[in-house]
Each structure stands twice: as structure tokens, then as C-alpha cells.
Amino acid sequence: MNKEKILLFAGIAESTEISQKIIKLGYDITLSTVSDDEKLIHSDLNLTRKIGRMNQDEISTYLNNNDFKTVICAVHPYAADARSNIISACKNTGTTLYIYLRANSKLSEFPDRLEIYYASEHTEAAKLANKFTGNILLTTGSRNLSPYIGIINNSKNRIYVRALNFTESEEALKQVGIDSEHSILARGPFSITENINTINKHNISILITKDGGINGGTPEKLTAAAQTSCKVIMISRPQVTETYFTNIDELLKQL
């Protein structure tokens, strides 16, 4: 008897735990990731890999051609376009979908001295940052750099970008003119001490970030900012209107 096939769209560290638990439940799992990221390879797990971006039509075709009955969406909380494409493809093909979403950070747990501002998207964040003086640490990845470079005064001297050490990141930084002295290519999450060291080394006054949750290193970034009197601009999460789970075991109970 063939095992039921599940397609897991992964973009976060928790995909390892999800994959392991799905395999233990006896399902045949295919892991779909945008890149061949070493954190998401799971070379020790018995699963099929699908690497590369897919738009809505490509996802629909892939679902139909491979007879998937169930899809689990565990992409990054800010991967709104990818999540939307997955949702639409599942609706179009009649495929059962479960969404896992990292829980928000509990900002109420941070010290009152944390000076935090909110922006709905990158252009708004750049305009807000431009109202302040001092150097800026941008930790929102290597995409969407243009608004910051175009809006912030003296941007190429003031902005430091911390992004994944991928070729794609290097190329994105070069395209907007961010040199190697203002590029921090490394893989997080980073400890409080590492964040403090980066803030102090580059004399950072403003930290621009996303709420990646506990597993995304957000608490460590915010704690470091509070301890160094560094302002924080937080880009709000895209709204998710569909039902989702923030607990992996609760999600898997539905299978």
C-alpha cells in the first residue's frame, strides 16, 4: 500500500522538526524549498526534495502531477507572496492545506527603555529611519534594499546590511552599491552578545528588523537594542486571514 503523500513548503528552521514528525507518522513527504540551503537539506531524512521557486500555476501543476493529498505551508512569516500562491494553488486543485506560522514575539516582555517604532512596509520604514540621525543596521534580508538606499540620506555610508551569506545576497548588495565594509554576510539567529557587538562595532543608532519570532532571533535583537539604547523600527507582519497553527503538534493532529 502506497503511503499518503504530503508536500511541505519550508522556509524556516522548524521545517526540520515538522519533517521528522511527519515521517514518524508514516507519510511520504516532499520538501519544497526555494534554495539548496544547508539548514533545509535534511540529508539524514528519508524525503524527496523539490528545489526552486514556483508561482501559483507551477504549484498547481506540481500538485496535480504528483497526486498530493495534503500540503503544509511553513514558509517565513513575511513570505506573503509565496503563502498566497500556495493557498490559491491548493484551492484551485482541491488540495487540503494546513498553515504553520511562527508565533509573534511578546514585545510586552521587553524593557520599557526599548524605543520601538512600527512600519507597514519597507518604504515606510525607510522614511521613518530617515527622520533619525546615526548609522542603521538593516536586518530584513537582501531583498527590498532599494527603498532604503533611495530614501535615506547618505545611505551608502550610514547603512549596514546583515543578510544570509548567499551569492544571491552578495549580488543584491552590489546592485544597490553596498560595499563589503557595510555588508555583514552571516547566518543567524544571533545571540544577544553578537548583536551588541555588531551594534557597537558599527556605531549603530537604528535597527530595522522584522518579527521573526523566537526561532528567528527577534528577542535577542530587541534585547541588544534595549541594552545599547538603539532605536528599533519593526516592519509589521503581513496579515494572514486563513486558519493557521502556531504549534506544530496541534497542526499534525489534523493529519
Side-chain angles (χ1 to χ4, degrees):
M1 181 177 178
N2 293 330
K3 296 180 181 179
E4 182 176 332
K5 299 172 65 175
I6 292 179
L7 176 60
L8 170 62
F9 286 93
I12 51 177
E14 294 94 316
S15 63
T16 300
E17 180 183 352
I18 296 172
S19 298
Q20 290 171 335
K21 289 185 174 181
I22 290 174
I23 291 172
K24 286 183 179 179
L25 289 172
Y27 292 96
D28 184 355
I29 181 173
T30 295
L31 183 73
S32 174
T33 57
V34 171
S35 64
D36 198 9
D37 185 340
E38 62 180 7
K39 286 279 187 177
L40 296 172
I41 287 178
H42 310 311
S43 58
D44 59 331
L45 296 180
N46 182 23
L47 48 73
T48 302
R49 295 298 308 275
K50 175 73 172 80
I51 299 172
R53 298 182 190 278
M54 291 190 285
N55 60 31
Q56 178 183 322
D57 291 339
E58 289 169 333
I59 295 171
S60 296
T61 300
Y62 190 70
L63 290 173
N64 285 329
N65 289 347
N66 292 275
D67 193 31
F68 289 105
K69 304 299 182 184
T70 303
V71 166
I72 296 176
C73 175
V75 299
H76 194 275
Y78 287 82
D81 289 343
R83 187 162 45 247
S84 177
N85 286 338
I86 294 166
I87 291 169
S88 296
C90 287
K91 288 180 179 178
N92 292 341
T93 58
T95 306
T96 301
L97 171 65
Y98 299 107
I99 299 174
Y100 172 78
L101 193 65
R102 279 180 176 172
N104 289 295
S105 299
K106 297 180 180 179
L107 299 182
S108 60
E109 297 178 355
F110 291 92
D112 292 338
R113 67 178 180 273
L114 178 64
E115 188 175 350
I116 187 166
Y117 303 85
Y118 293 92
S120 61
E121 40 75 39
H122 294 281
T123 297
E124 183 180 346
K127 290 179 179 178
L128 183 55
N130 197 41
K131 296 180 180 179
F132 304 116
T133 59
N135 290 344
I136 298 164
L137 177 60
L138 188 61
T139 65
T140 57
S142 60
R143 300 180 188 175
N144 303 300
L145 295 174
S146 296
Y148 301 100
I149 301 302
I151 292 172
I152 295 173
N153 295 329
N154 195 23
S155 59
K156 293 179 183 178
N157 290 321
R158 294 176 59 198
I159 291 178
Y160 292 81
V161 178
R162 188 168 70 188
L164 291 171
N165 51 342
F166 288 161
T167 301
E168 181 181 338
S169 300
E170 294 177 354
E171 292 175 351
L173 290 164
K174 288 179 181 178
Q175 286 179 0
V176 296
I178 297 292
D179 60 33
S180 58
E181 293 184 0
H182 289 77
S183 304
I184 306 167
L185 297 177
R187 169 173 294 286
F190 302 93
S191 67
I192 295 172
T193 299
E194 288 172 325
N195 282 299
I196 289 175
N197 289 342
T198 298
I199 289 170
N200 289 336
K201 177 180 179 180
H202 301 293
N203 195 25
I204 300 298
S205 298
I206 306 157
L207 168 67
I208 303 178
T209 190
K210 297 175 179 179
D211 183 6
I214 293 176
N215 288 324
T218 300
E220 289 79 5
K221 282 187 280 189
L222 297 184
T223 300
Q227 293 184 10
T228 56
S229 300
C230 181
K231 296 180 180 65
V232 174
I233 297 176
M234 176 81 75
I235 297 177
S236 301
R237 284 189 176 189
Q239 186 177 8
V240 179
T241 57
E242 287 76 13
T243 300
Y244 61 85
F245 296 84
T246 57
N247 181 283
I248 293 173
D249 290 332
E250 289 298 320
L251 184 154
L252 295 180
K253 284 180 182 178
Q254 306 301 313
L255 295 179

